[in-house]
Amino acid sequence: MDIHLWKECPMLTTCPNCAQVVEISALNQHLLEECENRKVMRKCPRCKEAIPMDEYKQHTDEMSCGQALPLDQANRCPLCHQDIQPGEIGWKKHLLYEGCPNNDRTI
């Protein structure tokens, strides 16, 4: 079970900044609040995603990201940046049943 969670579970991913395995649904929160390298990230006021500081100005100047919807309307996948169905059901559908196109662990 530990190996499945660490290497294979499609609900989890490896943080690109610290290599900790985290839930995809909590990746933005991890990058902004919990990651040991959180100081290199900043939250976009428009899409609410974690953006690397060296890309932040260009990201916010371009305003090409999608406006984040309230969580009761949609989740935003931090891997493919698409809005998905809200709640845990939305994450399971996107990550387990449909398969996120940018998830290396998709079955």
Side-chain angles (χ1 to χ4, degrees), residues 42-47 51-66:
R42 190 163 174 198
K43 185 177 186 177
C44 172
R46 182 175 166 80
C47 67
I51 308 298
M53 290 293 282
D54 61 345
E55 299 171 20
Y56 184 80
K57 182 170 177 7
Q58 180 180 353
H59 176 88
T60 54
D61 285 352
E62 290 177 356
M63 291 185 62
S64 59
C65 59

Side-chain angles (χ1 to χ4, degrees), residues 1-68:
M1 181 62 132
D2 288 339
I3 290 174
H4 165 74
L5 292 174
W6 181 54
K7 288 192 169 200
E8 301 170 353
C9 181
M11 297 289 288
L12 304 175
T13 192
T14 303
C15 172
N17 291 347
C18 72
Q20 181 177 336
V21 176
V22 297
E23 288 185 55
I24 293 170
S25 63
L27 180 59
N28 275 321
Q29 178 182 359
H30 169 79
L31 288 167
L32 293 167
E33 299 173 13
E34 301 161 1
C35 182
E36 63 188 38
N37 296 311
R38 65 187 169 272
K39 292 183 181 183
V40 301
M41 304 300 285
R42 190 163 174 198
K43 185 177 186 177
C44 172
R46 182 175 166 80
C47 67
K48 309 296 188 215
E49 292 193 61
I51 308 298
M53 290 293 282
D54 61 345
E55 299 171 20
Y56 184 80
K57 182 170 177 7
Q58 180 180 353
H59 176 88
T60 54
D61 285 352
E62 290 177 356
M63 291 185 62
S64 59
C65 59
Q67 178 74 39

